[in-house]
Amino acid sequence: MTTGNREDYLINILRLTEGETVAKTTELAGYMGVSPASVSEMIKVLANEGLVKYEKYKGVSLTDEGLIYARQIRKKHHVLERFLTDYLNLDHMTAHEEACKMEHAISDDSAIKMCHMMGHQVDSDCVSCKSPCKAASEGVTEIIPLNRMSQGESGKISHIKSEDSDVVKKLISMGFVPGRDVSIESILSDGGPRVIRIGTVSMALDYNLASSVFVDVAE
């Protein structure tokens, strides 16, 4: 059985139970559109791996390990889905179908980088992230918008955040991606452009665009 098939079962058990209840095998079979015999076979595999618990006449539930695994898969799905809709302008149904295929192939690290780049907490599954982003944290004072940095101040880009996906696309195309070193070389005027050094390149950046780039000045 493929990893993707196993992960499909885990994520669908999570969708039915949210890690708090039990799903009957007939319910899971109907939800996934597979036979009860296929469900029973997979549950045995997952139980042997310590990812689910099965009680006869009651149903199947996720173990603590299975819950963490399933949440990681679901988070990757939501990251991919939102990236496809917000940045590639796919409709929601197409994005969902594409994300279902891609969630099994993309690595945790790549999904985390995409999540950091978008700069928003995706969903409640973020609590199980192995590398929580500062973008999703409350009260993190060392992260400030680029337009509020002082001349000579420097740090690393934490994330990009804007309600306008075109702004995010533009900034990314200009090289403003998480993890890059950035500094303020000069401030031309209050509320005006900043001369930014990013990597080895210097450029003038509009004040409003700079407000969408968040920098970890504690790096």
Side-chain angles (χ1 to χ4, degrees), residues 132-152:
C133 61
K134 292 180 179 179
S137 302
E138 296 293 335
V140 182
T141 56
E142 66 267 26
I143 292 183
I144 60 174
L146 186 58
N147 66 336
R148 286 175 47 200
M149 289 173 60
S150 303
Q151 185 169 319

Side-chain angles (χ1 to χ4, degrees), residues 2 6 19 26 46 74-75 87 116 131 134 137 202 210 215:
T2 65
R6 292 164 61 256
T26 52
L46 296 174
R74 186 167 66 176
K75 182 188 174 186
Y87 303 129
H116 286 202
S131 179
K134 292 180 179 179
S137 302
S202 295
V215 179

Side-chain angles (χ1 to χ4, degrees), residues 14-121:
L14 176 61
R15 286 168 176 157
L16 288 171
T17 68
E18 286 301 322
E20 298 177 355
T21 58
V22 173
K24 294 186 178 297
T25 54
T26 52
E27 180 185 19
L28 184 58
Y31 188 74
M32 297 185 65
V34 299
S35 69
S38 296
V39 171
S40 297
E41 181 182 358
M42 180 57 78
I43 284 174
K44 290 178 184 177
V45 173
L46 296 174
N48 287 335
E49 294 177 351
L51 298 173
V52 303
K53 293 183 292 186
Y54 175 72
E55 294 184 68
K56 195 173 182 180
Y57 306 121
K58 290 187 177 180
V60 62
S61 60
L62 295 167
T63 63
D64 289 343
E65 182 181 354
L67 179 59
I68 291 171
Y69 192 174
R71 279 181 162 174
Q72 288 174 339
I73 302 164
R74 186 167 66 176
K75 182 188 174 186
K76 285 196 286 188
H77 177 95
H78 288 161
V79 168
L80 288 163
E81 194 173 66
R82 212 183 75 205
F83 186 87
L84 291 168
T85 55
D86 290 0
Y87 303 129
L88 300 187
N89 300 321
L90 297 187
D91 64 86
H92 183 76
M93 182 59 69
T94 302
H96 174 74
E97 292 172 353
E98 291 294 318
C100 284
K101 301 170 188 174
M102 297 166 66
E103 66 194 28
H104 306 300
I106 190 172
S107 68
D108 289 345
D109 287 342
S110 293
I112 287 169
K113 288 178 180 178
M114 289 176 68
C115 193
H116 286 202
M117 184 178 71
M118 292 186 287
H120 297 277
Q121 185 166 349

